[in-house]
Amino acid sequence: MTTIQQPRILGAGVDRVDGPLKVTGQARYPNDVNLPGMAYAAVVRSTIPSGRITRMDTTAAEKSPGVLEVITHENADHLGEAPATFIKNPQPPLQDDAIRFYGQYIAVVVADTQQNATAAAGLIEVEYERHEAILDPHDPRAERIKDPWGEDTAWGDVRTALNRAPVMIDQTYTTSENTNNPLGLFTTLASWDGDTLTLHDSNQWPNMIQQVVAAMFGLPRDAVRVLTPFVGGGFGAGLRCWSHIPLAVMAARHVGRPVKLELTRPEMFTGLGHRTSSINWIRLGATRDGRLTAIEHESLTTLPLDGDEYEPCSSVSTWSYASPNVTARDQQVRLNIPWTNFMRAPGDAQGNFALESAIDELAWEVGLDPLEIRLLNYAEVDPKTGRPWSSNALRRCLEVGAQRFGWSNRNPEIGSMRDGHELVGYGVAGVSFFWYQQPCSAKVIVRGDGSAYVRSAVTDIGTGTYTIMAQLAAGLLGLEVDQVEMQLGDSSMPVGTAAGGSGLTAALGSAVHDACGRLIQKFVDLAGTDPFSPLANVPFEDVAVSEGRLFRKGDPTRGESLARILAVHGLTELSADGNSTPNSPDQLGMTPAGARGARFVEVRVDEDLGRVRVARIVTVNDGGRILNEKLARSQILGGTVGGVGMALFEDTVTDKDTGRIANATFGDYLIPVNADIPDVHVEFVGEPDAFNPIGVKGIGEIGLVGVAPAIANGIFHATGKRIRSLPITMDEVMD
Amino acid sequence: MRVNVTVNGAPMTADDVWPGESLLYVLRERLGLPGAKNACEQGECGSCTVYLDGLPVCACLVAAGQAEGREVLTVEGLASGEELDPVQEAFVECGAVQCGFCTPGLIVQAHSLIAGHDGVPADAEIREHLAGNLCRCTGYEKILDAVRLAARRKAGS
């Protein structure tokens, strides 16, 4: 009954349903909302990385034109503890005089206009007692955390295998800090009405913001409503309740007016976290014909003084290739830096760069084609447990990609492919992405006219959730997409999970699937109580749905429309709640596989200048069932360009003496622009996944992964230079 | 100070404008037109692009006083009623929109390219014209498709 049976709607490249609002400037992002009597806030940030505040003089700021309030740690409200939500959230700001990183909020100024607030913020005088900051991951004084998540993994005997291996690769790979930089400036507009609070807020998880703010301000959860119908991108930046949010709430309470706090671009660098830098030590043992006998992968990533972060870089080495002996270990080191945080493909992006570079080095060492070595060591089953995958079309990704790219035209000799001044190189990388899913709920309602709406608290960060969920509900209820109205991004709706971890489509989709199934059951039951209904006495299993009608399978004439069933029973609408929880791998006897992918890249290196240009990319991915080909393709394209950024441009530079991020603008932190982007060919392969009822595997992040190693591997083919650190810059290529 | 400006064909007035205030701030915070987006406030991203007397500009770099007596056209003014401008239509159709935050600026910038072009611009020309508009979601490819499509339709009509 509730099987997916309408390929006409599901999978079709339907235009995004929120498109017209966005192209006309009508979509309202949090910073687009203005409320009557609204005041504006500006933050003040610390200018040392470690120490304490000894004096703050706010006199001039308080006298500055239009200023309504200045809040520092000396007059801030005492707030409750911020609960962890999957991971920790920053504890409330302005609660003490301690400085933990450069850029920490130390005051907030509220004024009648943004200019007045910003001008006054600049008038606050601060004196500090400076402490020595720890900024270098190798500093012996820094606190090291071993096995931070209890996920260190080992099987077989790596030591012995490495000692006996005829061929060994032993290398270190590093990646730099990257900053998410969604285009939308994160904004909180806080508005109190008595003891209830409404927030228009940029985030990826409205229910998380609701929970954390309620706890900090001692409110029942229902007293806080978080509205995020649109957000200007996230890439992970919106997965915690950052400190500007309680600042805005506190400020609104102090002045008794709604307060809008919009971060500036430089504040986005310190206030929302960033992708940790990483050091990856990899040792591969192999036979002379390239078969892996051991993988040892250890990583070191960074943490702020008082936060946590889930960034298991080494875990890719436990599921990507078949090896009888594997060790994967991660460590973290605490520094006086702004929070490290999830950024598109956390852990995987860095770990995959290291592993796929090392596999490539092994291929050259044993004289195998880099594509062949990946197929030779293919993980047919989960190498850790021996269980089958819920689906895995990585082999197909590699084969189809090689064909589309023309891999067979590759001359294996280094530097052998040349075009004028440019050395041409071909690089490949495979990607096995993690799987992630959390519980989620949704409500589906059919109205008297037969149209439907779907509600959930989750938000759509631009990936296309509005659209694919409308398609899914339409497919399951036998409606057209434009008959389904989506209502998302409101914490008062059925509790939803994060738009993150490539996990929302499976989580929300499964909840919508559940709700639609229950709703059809209700309609069938209702029809069953009507002796005149053509569906009377037809069991649920025998009912099909199409074009807004329920009918007996095999006899479309024997049926009744949803609208008519409601009318006959005097109902204006009928609704059902749906929930999803992840299935149990043990019960299903399979390992849930995340998305899989292959990257083929042609790089061109100017032999005189060392300039690297990516000429073309073929990216083939297995995302299980693709709900909307057009939107899925866009996810992969955007991820691919993020991968080019990680490989060649993106580097959040922290000054080694002051701990200040030195390039916190779009002029200085380079992200790819239009002209940097080559021809990108996107293709999907694979079958519906067996782990969730709708057969999807999230594809929001995988597009980024594997691009950097494929580029680095291509540069080696072109030049013979093995570059083991990101981003790859001209000086390294020329060196 | 008072600023008089014609926005999307309608005369508008903003009072108590601070001399250093940007046109972007006046549009967004005083005139109720938040279509043009603020993402960097210093002309690096193009999200706030609007027409000023027919030329595309970063509204964050234009002092509000410079717009006195002049004509501004924002993304809100491109559609005629329910009917989207061909550029807007092409962006939706080609999947050139994701989070949508850079979209208004890109639409105006792309509109200006096509308006000043009789045929379909070469890819290099499109990339150059849109080089000042950053996008973090789409990977740019679909934006190029949209510009080509809109230009083709205009050239064919």
Side-chain angles (χ1 to χ4, degrees), chain A residues 22 29 40 630 650 674, chain B residues 29 93 98-99 127 136:
Chain A
K22 287 177 171 175
Y29 299 82
Y40 295 82
K630 186 183 286 187
E650 299 191 33
N674 214 311
Chain B
E29 304 294 328
E93 209 172 309
Q98 285 191 30
C99 88
R127 288 188 192 277
R136 195 71 160 147

Side-chain angles (χ1 to χ4, degrees), chain A residues 326-455:
Chain A
V326 171
T327 301
R329 284 197 288 256
D330 299 297
Q331 278 192 48
Q332 290 178 306
V333 57
R334 286 199 188 281
L335 304 173
N336 289 100
I337 57 171
W339 280 52
T340 45
N341 184 48
F342 300 134
M343 178 170 163
R344 206 169 196 172
D348 257 37
Q350 303 101 310
N352 170 279
F353 166 68
L355 179 64
E356 288 298 308
S357 295
I359 292 286
D360 205 72
E361 296 204 50
L362 178 62
W364 287 94
E365 187 69 27
V366 299
L368 260 187
D369 183 300
L371 174 62
E372 290 305 313
I373 200 162
R374 289 170 167 86
L375 295 171
L376 179 70
N377 292 290
Y378 192 76
E380 298 286 355
V381 295
D382 176 3
K384 184 174 166 186
T385 61
R387 280 184 179 154
W389 298 109
S390 55
S391 65
N392 184 354
L394 176 57
R395 182 184 296 281
R396 190 92 188 108
C397 293
L398 288 162
E399 289 169 350
V400 169
Q403 194 192 7
R404 298 289 182 272
F405 182 81
W407 184 258
S408 58
N409 299 328
R410 170 181 176 272
N411 182 333
E413 288 294 309
I414 288 171
S416 62
M417 297 170 71
R418 167 187 287 275
D419 183 1
H421 267 288
E422 291 183 324
L423 297 169
V424 178
Y426 285 4
V428 61
V431 185
S432 297
F433 197 70
F434 62 77
W435 171 90
Y436 171 79
Q437 192 187 327
Q438 291 290 311
C440 195
S441 58
K443 183 188 274 291
V444 178
I445 301 139
V446 169
R447 291 180 280 219
D449 63 357
S451 68
Y453 50 111
V454 176
R455 288 176 172 168

Side-chain angles (χ1 to χ4, degrees), chain A residues 318-331:
Chain A
T318 67
W319 63 63
S320 295
Y321 291 101
S323 171
N325 305 289
V326 171
T327 301
R329 284 197 288 256
D330 299 297
Q331 278 192 48

Side-chain angles (χ1 to χ4, degrees), chain A residues 27 31 50 100 265 389 505 684 686:
Chain A
N31 54 352
S50 177
R100 299 168 183 86
R265 180 58 54 185
W389 298 109
T505 300
F684 293 102

Side-chain angles (χ1 to χ4, degrees), chain A residues 15-16 18-20 22-29 31-32 34 38 40 113-115 179-185 231-233 235 260 262 264-265 343-344 461-463 630 633-635 637-639 641 650 665-669 671-675 677-680, chain B residues 16 18 20-22 25 28-30 32 34-42 44-45 47 75-79 84 87-89 91-104 106-107 126-128 130-131 133-144:
Chain A
D15 290 346
R16 71 168 48 237
D18 49 340
K22 287 177 171 175
V23 297
T24 54
Q26 303 302 319
R28 288 288 174 266
Y29 299 82
N31 54 352
D32 294 339
N34 287 337
M38 186 177 85
Y40 295 82
T113 66
Q114 186 66 59
Q115 285 89 347
T179 300
N180 308 52
N181 273 318
L183 261 283
L185 295 176
V231 54
F235 313 108
K260 184 195 267 190
E262 180 182 40
T264 63
R265 180 58 54 185
M343 178 170 163
R344 206 169 196 172
I461 61 172
T463 51
K630 186 183 286 187
R633 181 175 292 271
S634 288
Q635 281 302 298
L637 277 171
V641 171
E650 299 191 33
T665 68
F666 275 145
D668 296 312
Y669 181 89
I671 65 172
V673 299
N674 214 311
I677 298 313
D679 175 48
V680 183
Chain B
D16 302 324
W18 172 64
E21 204 161 298
S22 69
Y25 189 87
R28 289 180 54 80
E29 304 294 328
R30 298 190 188 274
K37 295 289 181 265
N38 174 24
C40 77
E41 284 186 294
Q42 47 189 25
E44 291 165 348
C45 75
S47 304
V75 72
E76 287 104 330
L78 289 179
L84 298 181
V87 176
Q88 294 172 316
E89 205 173 64
F91 266 63
V92 175
E93 209 172 309
C94 293
V97 178
Q98 285 191 30
C99 88
F101 205 84
C102 70
T103 305
L106 269 158
I107 297 252
I126 301 175
R127 288 188 192 277
E128 182 61 30
L130 303 183
N133 291 75
L134 297 180
C135 171
R136 195 71 160 147
C137 293
T138 64
Y140 302 107
E141 289 265 326
K142 297 290 156 192
I143 292 170
L144 258 79

